[in-house]
Each structure stands twice: as structure tokens, then as C-alpha cells.
């Protein structure tokens, strides 16, 4: 299939919440454009939904003012059909969205004279006492742009006029692991607010983001609202031909990416939230083996203390506190985590 055929398949799907995991360069952004074009064709040529993708991020461009030694360095916002909605948000709206990321900077709007053209640019500075313009990092910029759009999503004049769906494509590029999981929480908040009235499609190449959202929607504390209207897919490409498969049909492929992600974490830093991915891996293996419980796999790989390991994994992966829980694992947690992971490798000989 091509992107337009996949877009048609998504459009005809009955579920209201769709999660899509895909490798980098598979065509997620092209799919979001194809979905926009297809839904416009079904709506008399008019936009029917709201999008966040690479084109959204490309509206923000640094003007470094190199001639003046960066004296007026700023992040310009290119004019677009969204500019007319800028007047409905203020700096405080974005600050509220940014707060969960604990930013180390402040900012101000630089407005066009014409309100229809919205915000001309943004100036960033260290503090109210030191307002010398600065350039924030790539990761900080991506977080800011995401929060800018989160504020725009609340503008009724925009979202009500294009109210059929949200299509969120990978708002996690250039982010570290801490901020990936905060972003997952912000997406879940968006789902909670809009899932009844709008279809919500999320695509990502980041297995952690996918797994956290999958876990919260299908198995989490509030999953009773969402599990029956959520459909997870894996998008793959071979020879330019795209295939959109239900996660269960690609479970082995998903195992390998979880293994790779967790193996990298062991070699770098382990945080408490990595237990979410470990539990996802155990449950998928259990499902693949035709069993319905995670502890079956712990028994099969001969973990020393099956009950204790299971309780630790469940406790740390079910906490509804991803926004706050960015602490590293303690020594006991690391020991259990590494034992389980290494014994999975020995028992099942997965290759990443």
C-alpha cells in the first residue's frame, strides 16, 4: 500500500484512539499529510482535523543576528494559516504547559503590528533580572514548540472548526528520556480531554512513548474508558510498500525493539520508568507463548524470586506518576531488572 491507501484504512477504522509505532524514515510524516489530504477530500476540500508534525516544527526558525554578535537572537515564527489564532493565547498559557518540563529559561512574545499575522518571533532569556537574549538547545526548542501547540489546541476558534480529529506525529525528536515520558503524559492529558468528541491518532518511532501510552490506554488505572476504543498498530515499509498491522501480528518485531531499548538503558542509565517497558516485554512474550500472565515468563526464565520480582515490576510500572518519577533505580531495583533482562536473553536467545 502507499500512504494514501494507509490513510484510507485508518479513516475507515472504527476505534477512536489509534497508536502507531514505526521505524524512523518509514513515512510517518508523509502518512499524516496523506491523512490530511484524504480527510479533506471527504469533507468538501476543507480541513477536518488538527495536526502536529515536522511541518509544525518547521514554522519555527532561528534568526541568530550574527551581524550584531547575536544581540537580538530570536526564534521567528513563519506566517501560516495558524497565525490568526496566535492572538487567542498568551505567554502564561504556554508557561503552564512548560511547567511540567521545568524549563531553565523565560521568554516573551514579539508581536506583529497586525493581529492577523500573530506572533513575529520569540525572545528567550535566563531570568527577569537577566534579559539578554539567548539561544535554547534543540531539545528545549522542541519542548517549547510542542507546548506552544498544546496551548493552540485549546483555542476553540481553531479546534472547533476542524474538530474531527487530532493527528500527532512524533513530538519527541531531540528529547532525552526524562522528557519523553513527560510528553507521553501530556499526550494522555490531551486524549482524556478530547477522546469522546474527536478521533486521536498518535504516531511515533520511540518505543518508550508508544509503550507508556499503550500501557495507560489498554491496562492502566483509567483504561476502562479507553481499552475498547484503542487500536495499536505497527507501520512497516518494504520496497516502498507500506503495511499497517495490528500489534499482535508484529509481536516478535516489537520484542526486538523493546530488547534493544532496554539493553541500551542498561549500558547507560536505568530509571524507574524503564520497568514499564520491561513489563511490556514480559507481557508480550507471555502472549506470544499463549499464556496470560507475566509471572509465567519469570518462572520460565528461572528468576530467583518470582513473587518478589513480579511485585516490584508491577509496583513500579503501574505508578501513575511518570510526570514526577524520574529517579534512577536504586541498587535493589537494578539488580532485579538486570537479572530479568539477562535471563530473558539466555532463555529466548533474542537478537537485537
Amino acid at each position: 500500500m502507499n500512504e494514501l491507501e494507509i490513510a484510507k484504512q485508518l479513516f475507515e477504522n472504527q476505534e477512536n484512539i489509534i497508536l502507531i509505532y514505526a521505524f524512523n524514515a518509514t513515512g510517518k510524516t508523509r502518512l499524516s499529510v496523506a491523512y490530511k489530504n484524504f480527510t479533506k477530500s471527504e469533507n468538501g476540500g476543507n480541513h477536518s482535523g488538527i495536526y502536529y508534525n515536522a511541518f509544525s516544527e518547521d514554522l519555527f526558525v532561528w534568526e541568530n543576528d550574527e551581524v550584531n554578535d547575536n544581540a537580538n537572537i530570536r526564534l521567528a515564527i513563519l506566517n501560516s494559516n495558524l497565525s490568526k489564532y496566535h492572538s487567542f493565547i498568551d505567554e502564561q498559557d504556554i508557561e503552564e504547559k512548560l511547567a511540567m518540563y521545568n524549563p531553565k529559561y523565560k521568554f516573551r512574545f514579539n508581536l506583529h503590528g497586525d493581529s492577523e499575522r500573530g506572533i513575529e518571533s520569540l525572545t528567550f532569556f535566563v531570568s527577569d533580572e537577566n534579559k539578554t537574549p539567548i539561544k535554547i538547545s534543540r531539545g528545549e526548542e522542541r519542548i517549547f514548540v510542542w507546548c506552544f501547540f498544546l496551548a493552540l489546541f485549546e483555542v476553540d476558534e481553531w479546534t472547533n472548526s476542524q474538530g474531527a480529529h487530532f493527528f500527532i506525529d512524533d513530538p519527541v525528536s531531540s528529547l532525552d528520556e526524562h522528557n519523553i515520558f513527560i510528553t507521553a503524559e501530556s499526550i494522555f492529558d490531551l486524549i482524556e480531554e478530547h477522546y469522546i468528541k474527536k478521533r486521536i491518532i498518535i504516531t511515533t518511532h520511540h518505543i518508550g512513548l508508544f509503550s507508556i501510552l499503550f500501557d495507560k490506554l489498554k491496562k492502566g488505572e483509567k483504561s476502562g474508558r479507553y481499552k475498547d476504543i484503542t487500536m495499536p498498530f505497527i507501520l512497516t515499509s518494504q520496497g516502498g510498500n507500506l503495511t499497517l498491522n495490528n500489534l499482535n501480528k508484529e509481536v516478535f518485531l516489537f520484542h526486538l525493539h523493546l530488547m534493544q531499548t532496554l539493553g541500551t538503558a542498561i549500558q547507560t542509565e536505568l530509571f524507574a520508568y524503564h520497568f514499564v517497558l520491561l513489563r511490556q516485554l514480559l507481557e508480550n512474550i507471555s502472549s506470544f507463548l499463549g499464556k496470560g500472565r507475566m509471572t509465567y515468563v519469570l518462572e520460565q526464565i528461572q528468576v530467583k524470586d518470582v513473587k518478589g520480582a513480579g511485585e516490584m515490576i508491577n509496583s513500579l510500572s503501574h505508578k501513575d506518576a511518570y510526570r514526577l518519577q524520574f529517579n534512577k533505580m536504586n541498587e535493589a531495583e537494578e539488580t532485579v531488572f538486570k537479572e530479568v533482562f539477562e535471563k530473558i536473553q539466555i532463555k529466548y536467545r533474542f537478537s537485537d
Side-chain angles (χ1 to χ4, degrees), residues 215-256:
D215 190 76
K216 289 172 77 67
L217 291 166
K218 299 291 277 188
K219 303 174 185 179
E221 183 179 323
K222 300 178 181 179
S223 62
R225 305 175 190 172
Y226 310 113
K227 61 183 179 181
D228 292 333
I229 59 170
T230 297
M231 178 62 72
F233 291 102
I234 292 182
L235 180 68
T236 58
S237 176
Q238 187 170 8
N241 186 49
L242 293 177
T243 304
L244 189 66
N245 284 327
N246 184 289
L247 176 60
N248 291 332
K249 296 181 180 179
E250 293 285 354
V251 65
F252 184 71
L253 179 66
F254 195 58
H255 285 168
L256 297 185

Side-chain angles (χ1 to χ4, degrees), residues 245-292:
N245 284 327
N246 184 289
L247 176 60
N248 291 332
K249 296 181 180 179
E250 293 285 354
V251 65
F252 184 71
L253 179 66
F254 195 58
H255 285 168
L256 297 185
H257 283 271
L258 283 168
M259 292 289 290
Q260 185 178 47
T261 300
L262 294 176
T264 299
I266 286 174
Q267 296 300 318
T268 52
E269 287 185 301
L270 283 169
F271 293 88
Y273 55 71
H274 282 119
F275 274 102
V276 178
L277 276 67
L278 181 62
R279 184 166 67 87
Q280 184 77 63
L281 176 62
L282 290 165
E283 289 178 343
N284 285 348
I285 294 173
S286 174
S287 176
F288 185 73
L289 296 174
K291 304 296 180 179

